[in-house]
Amino acid sequence: MEPRIQGLNTHLVHTGELEDPLYHGAVSPLYLSTSYAFDEVDIKRYPRNFNTPNQEALGHKIAALENKEAALIFGSGMAAVSTAIMGLVSSGDHIVFQDDLYGGTRNLALADLRRFGIEFSMAKGLEIKDFESEIRPNTKLIYVETPSNPLLKIIDLDMIGRLAKKHGIISMIDNTFASPVNQVPDEFGIDVVIHSATKYMGGHSDISAGAIATSNELIAPIWSMAKSLGGNLSEMTVWLLERSIKTMGLRVHRQNENALAMAHFLSAHHAIDRVYYPGLVEHPGHEIAKKQMKGFGGMMSFELRSGLDARFFQQQLKLIKPSMSLAGVESTVLSPTMTSHHSLTLEERKNQGISEGLIRFSVGIEEVSDLQRDIEQAIAKTENHG
Ligand SMILES: *Cc1c(COP(=O)(O)O)cnc(C)c1O
């Protein structure tokens, strides 16, 4: 494939755009047809075949961003995760997962993969030995997320890429938290890259979508599975997602800056006990993050000083909204113990280091001074509250 010769923002704006030969409009035309005449090369274009004009064009854009040959777009991040895994493993195969997985992916493993006779184990830590010791003769896939949710743990992608190659195993990453702006796993030999495009790619909290980017060789079985599972995204939303991705570089760069400023502010604050952000030198994954990320991202977590009521604190915020999702232009907070990690036992949460008072913070593009003022006033009220 062509080397990545253009800069990031040029790619974001121009790669995979459809021309409008009829009216020469500035943006890609939207083709809503679900029915297409067979063309000379006999491509059977159909939405669930993932090959309509808008799907193909957006696939080119996302593949280029991830430095991969091909990409498919889905109706959600979990459609991408489940299709990628089920397209590449069969009954009797084994998967090594990192231990702290996105909740939906964890459920997929525990509730469904087992049912289909797919074996898996969780690496006990973040080191190479933790992954290597779980590899069995039938291991087909190593699956990681870095930075992870919600503690922003960092896994060395170069280490995972080498380990997978050494054992002839496919490596897969959920790259949602970093976004392709901050991390291109292909640079470290990772084979398959997955995104919940609901997050940074969409970026405005108004699109549900997912994506898989990989080689032509690996996309073939995934594509075949995709056509059977039928998790394609509607054409209208494909078009909207393409529009959103054009500004992803601007948004994510600003979110990186804001998050770093907020992490320093929170670390220095008397009412905050801990801040988990890979951009802080005291974060255990900082050195690796510096090596493999172009920016540290817009996600962090923090703990209020013990004794302060985390739920009350979140209710006092005026600008920053408690919200289930993340990565929008607006800042949001969430309690993992009440939402994404609610289904885990207390013991499991403790093992993962998720305390009751932990607050996950998705930093938006607002003015840092306004975000700081909002947190200050909420802390003051929380300190006066019992
Ligand atoms: C949100 C998310 C998903 C799932 O994406 P949906 O679009 O909600 O299906 C997967 N992985 C990570 C890291 C996420 O944040």
Side-chain angles (χ1 to χ4, degrees):
M1 71 169 283
E2 282 176 39
R4 187 162 161 170
I5 43 167
Q6 294 174 317
L8 173 75
N9 283 305
T10 313
H11 255 314
L12 288 165
V13 175
H14 292 289
T15 305
E17 289 294 295
L18 287 174
E19 294 208 355
D20 172 6
L22 223 46
Y23 297 106
H24 308 288
V27 304
S28 291
L30 165 58
Y31 293 94
L32 288 170
S33 286
T34 57
S35 178
Y36 293 84
F38 291 174
D39 62 17
E40 307 89 73
V41 287
D42 196 25
I43 298 176
K44 298 179 180 64
R45 291 194 195 279
Y46 185 64
R48 193 176 36 76
N49 285 347
F50 292 75
N51 60 3
T52 61
N54 290 92
Q55 285 174 322
E56 276 189 358
L58 182 56
H60 286 150
K61 195 188 281 288
I62 292 177
L65 288 176
E66 288 294 2
N67 217 19
K68 293 293 191 189
E69 290 170 332
L72 295 175
I73 321 302
F74 293 84
S76 72
M78 280 314 298
V81 170
S82 55
T83 307
I85 292 177
M86 293 178 74
L88 294 173
V89 301
S90 302
S91 148
D93 288 341
H94 173 258
I95 304 172
V96 180
F97 285 109
Q98 144 187 358
D99 195 21
D100 45 347
L101 288 172
Y102 174 75
T105 308
R106 195 180 186 84
N107 285 345
L108 173 73
L110 294 171
D112 301 310
L113 293 184
R114 211 168 257 166
R115 217 158 45 82
F116 290 107
I118 296 160
E119 299 169 23
F120 65 89
S121 44
M122 304 285 184
K124 306 272 181 303
L126 306 175
E127 309 285 324
I128 187 161
K129 64 171 173 25
D130 300 312
F131 284 86
E132 190 152 34
S133 61
E134 298 298 335
I135 293 176
R136 305 174 188 171
N138 59 339
T139 301
K140 189 81 187 283
L141 189 69
I142 298 183
Y143 185 106
V144 297
E145 277 174 41
T146 177
S148 72
N149 179 32
L151 293 177
L152 291 302
K153 291 182 190 164
I154 303 293
I155 286 185
D156 189 329
L157 288 178
D158 186 50
M159 166 196 100
I160 294 293
R162 284 172 196 277
L163 181 67
K165 291 232 160 28
K166 181 175 145 197
H167 292 271
I169 297 168
I170 299 167
S171 53
M172 192 181 284
I173 182 173
D174 181 336
N175 202 30
T176 300
F177 263 41
S179 91
V181 176
N182 286 329
Q183 185 166 277
V184 180
D186 180 74
E187 291 169 4
F188 308 98
I190 304 297
D191 300 311
V192 185
V193 184
I194 297 174
H195 282 280
S196 167
T198 313
K199 313 296 167 51
Y200 286 104
M201 286 191 177
H204 297 74
S205 308
D206 55 8
I207 284 174
S208 165
I212 301 172
T214 184
S215 61
N216 285 332
E217 187 193 340
L218 291 178
I219 208 77
I222 294 174
W223 192 4
S224 169
M225 187 82 247
K227 286 186 267 193
S228 298
L229 291 176
N232 55 290
L233 183 62
S234 82
E235 300 304 314
M236 182 74 208
T237 317
V238 169
W239 185 88
L240 269 178
L241 180 57
E242 187 217 285
R243 187 187 68 171
S244 296
I245 288 177
K246 289 182 190 181
T247 57
M248 179 167 60
L250 300 178
R251 286 186 276 108
V252 171
H253 284 144
R254 170 70 174 211
Q255 283 163 316
N256 288 343
E257 278 172 26
N258 278 6
L260 190 61
M262 290 309 292
H264 286 304
F265 164 79
L266 292 168
S267 311
H269 202 286
H270 71 272
I272 310 288
D273 261 357
R274 292 191 69 166
V275 180
Y276 301 87
Y277 184 64
L280 294 175
V281 287
E282 59 269 29
H283 188 281
H286 178 68
E287 285 306 316
I288 299 170
K290 226 166 61 180
K291 195 181 66 161
Q292 68 193 22
M293 299 182 78
K294 299 167 210 299
F296 298 111
M299 296 302 302
M300 73 182 69
S301 288
F302 62 90
E303 282 165 18
L304 291 182
R305 198 180 65 217
S306 72
L308 294 181
D309 182 341
R311 186 195 284 247
F312 184 84
F313 165 78
Q314 289 176 72
Q315 289 163 346
Q316 305 317 307
L317 291 166
K318 292 187 171 136
L319 191 63
I320 304 167
K321 292 188 182 67
S323 153
M324 186 65 192
S325 198
L326 61 106
V329 290
E330 70 285 352
S331 293
T332 60
V333 287
L334 164 152
S335 280
T337 53
M338 287 180 233
T339 54
S340 57
H341 292 65
H342 187 69
S343 61
L344 270 64
T345 63
L346 200 66
E347 180 75 15
E348 284 174 320
R349 285 204 291 263
K350 221 175 114 201
N351 286 343
Q352 290 188 19
I354 300 167
S355 70
E356 295 304 299
L358 188 73
I359 295 168
R360 191 186 73 188
F361 185 14
S362 170
V363 182
I365 65 167
E366 301 96 333
E367 299 305 323
V368 165
S369 54
D370 290 325
L371 298 176
Q372 292 179 349
R373 208 170 302 126
D374 196 27
I375 287 179
E376 280 294 4
Q377 64 82 25
I379 285 176
K381 285 185 190 144
T382 310
E383 285 181 320
N384 291 331
H385 168 76

